[in-house]
Amino acid sequence: MLSALKNFGVTFLIAAMLFGIMAYFAIGFVTNTMNSIMSDEENELTEIMQNEDTQNLVNAGTDPAQTQKPDKEAIPGESFNFVVITTDYRPDLYDNYKPTLEHMYQTDWYSVPSSDTRGCLAGEYREPRASSVVLVRADREAKEYTYTSFSPETQVYTTSGLHTLAEVYSLYGKQAIADHLHAMTGLKIRYTLLINAYNFDEFLEICGAPTITLAKDIYQDADMAYTMQFETTKENIGTDGYPWTEHIPNTLILPAGDIELTAENIEILNSVAVQTAADAAARETWTVDIVRAFLTAVGTREDLKPLLAQLITNKSEWSNIEGLNYTEPEPEITEPESADGETAAPENTEGEVPGTDAPTEDEPYNPWEDTGGESAETVPADAEDGTEDPAAEPVEEEETINRIWLLPLGEPESPILETDYTMNDFEAVGALLAAADDFENINVPYPGRFMEAKDDSAPYFNPDLNAGLEKFQQYRK
């Protein structure tokens, strides 16, 4: 027992001395290595600090002419995606749009006669449709703007079946379009911008009218519809019973080449019908060009902040926008007009209207010339002898219905741009919007196939969802 304990003690002492010597040399090696690394780093730092070519003297004066433009890496904010939507809504031209729920709820139906509600449910109404949809990504890291134009006839799945994006807006609104684009690309949509057709002129008045290049001619057919087709063909049956094709030339409206984006030209481009894959490609190109041109025009403005505030604010509030020199015009005073369209003459102070048969002091009253005035009712010629024409049918007055459920003609009080963007977000996106002219512009078409009209089916774009999600994967950061 004592011998075993003695052997254990000797072995322990030998092991302790051996490992102690090894630890001593190991610690020395690590210490020397760390000192060498720290010494090299210190020498490199000293060399950088003492290099006159890389020194930045804070108090040194600089020549403004030699001041370099700040690097784009210093642009504040984060990359973001937004959707630009236009519609064909023109309540200033058409008064047969489908009644809105808001208008129906605001109507006092208890005071409306039942006769004025006839046709409310059976009428054929217009519905506003999306006429263009463009997804834009402002990429701060890649220093580029990417544009993807989605045809309004892009077919998507909805809770009520297959519908186009144009119909999705009519049924569910602009946010539903943004949701579908998010599902098709995987990109999170931060803002949705919508401009109605009746606001094109106000938008151009504020932002200016840039110029784009059209690759195809725009025509107007006999039905006053805009098309990219040179002619319209019509199948007829001749007197001999044989069919023949009639070729009807369309009227040239906008020739290919450079065009200024006036309100009339934008209205035309916003209404062109797409019939073939070539038409769809051409419309996609000019739609992207229009959005890009306006982003560049707006982004380069020095008054970018008040300009954006003006676009998203009701006109009645423009005078309150900081930095915007706007004075609300005084209402025009118009004189009342007579039935024939001429300005009615004012009555005199004595209550007599000039031009009547009342006598004056200079012209005495003559009873033989007084015919008693003209009667409001005209006596029929066959009634002068007291007889009536038995063949004459009584004229029934056409019954008029006060369609109180329809909105009257006129432009509603609304901002030029309907959007969920607010001026509180300007600090986050303003610098990136201002860089639209400096960043690289890239057009990213969405994969799919355009299906032309067949029999009773309208043309539509069939998107390839799998290829689309894969294509936009690089932009999902």
Side-chain angles (χ1 to χ4, degrees), residues 344-425:
E347 297 183 356
N348 57 20
T349 56
E350 298 180 358
E352 296 181 356
V353 180
T356 60
D357 294 335
T360 61
E361 296 181 356
D362 298 335
E363 184 180 355
Y365 172 68
N366 188 348
W368 301 105
E369 296 179 356
D370 187 2
T371 60
E374 296 182 357
S375 174
E377 299 180 356
T378 304
V379 180
D382 57 354
E384 293 181 356
D385 56 356
T387 61
E388 295 182 359
D389 185 5
E393 298 181 357
V395 178
E396 296 183 0
E397 295 183 0
E398 183 179 355
E399 183 181 6
T400 59
I401 300 176
N402 182 19
R403 292 177 171 83
I404 194 172
W405 62 87
L406 295 178
L407 292 173
L409 284 176
E411 298 184 4
E413 177 68 16
S414 63
I416 296 175
L417 281 180
E418 297 181 13
T419 178
D420 47 5
Y421 163 84
T422 66
M423 292 309 298
N424 296 328
D425 301 329

Side-chain angles (χ1 to χ4, degrees), residues 135 148 150 180-189 446 468-469 472-473 476:
L135 173 62
T148 302
F150 290 83
H180 279 286
L181 265 56
H182 171 62
M184 295 169 65
T185 62
L187 298 180
K188 183 179 180 180
I189 310 301
Y446 196 87
L469 289 172
F472 283 86
Q473 184 177 3
R476 297 195 293 269

Side-chain angles (χ1 to χ4, degrees), residues 256-335:
D258 295 340
I259 64 165
E260 184 182 9
L261 293 178
T262 62
E264 180 181 1
N265 291 341
I266 291 184
E267 177 73 19
I268 293 173
L269 297 177
N270 195 52
S271 308
V272 174
V274 174
Q275 301 176 3
T276 64
D279 292 350
R283 178 158 184 169
E284 174 184 315
T285 300
W286 81 56
T287 301
V288 169
D289 289 344
I290 291 175
V291 175
R292 182 188 304 162
F294 279 114
L295 276 179
T296 302
V298 171
T300 55
R301 292 273 293 265
E302 295 181 357
D303 58 342
L304 176 60
K305 187 173 183 179
L307 173 64
L308 293 177
Q310 188 177 9
L311 290 175
I312 66 174
T313 308
N314 287 334
K315 190 173 184 179
S316 58
E317 302 293 335
W318 285 359
S319 58
N320 299 328
I321 298 177
E322 180 182 358
L324 181 65
N325 297 325
Y326 174 78
T327 303
E328 187 174 355
E330 297 181 358
E332 297 181 0
I333 301 177
T334 57
E335 297 181 357

Side-chain angles (χ1 to χ4, degrees), residues 41-52:
E41 293 292 337
E42 183 178 359
N43 293 337
E44 185 177 354
L45 179 61
T46 303
E47 182 180 355
I48 293 175
M49 295 181 64
Q50 292 180 351
N51 191 347
E52 296 180 357

Side-chain angles (χ1 to χ4, degrees), residues 79-85 133-139 144-150 181 187-191 193 287-288 291-292 295 433 436 441-442 472:
S79 302
F80 65 97
N81 312 301
F82 61 99
V83 179
V84 181
I85 304 173
V133 179
V134 180
L135 173 62
V136 185
R137 173 171 175 79
D139 197 322
E144 64 185 19
Y145 265 77
T146 58
Y147 301 85
T148 302
S149 176
F150 290 83
L181 265 56
L187 298 180
K188 183 179 180 180
I189 310 301
R190 187 168 180 180
Y191 304 111
L193 313 177
T287 301
V288 169
V291 175
R292 182 188 304 162
L295 276 179
L433 291 177
N441 295 312
I442 300 177
F472 283 86

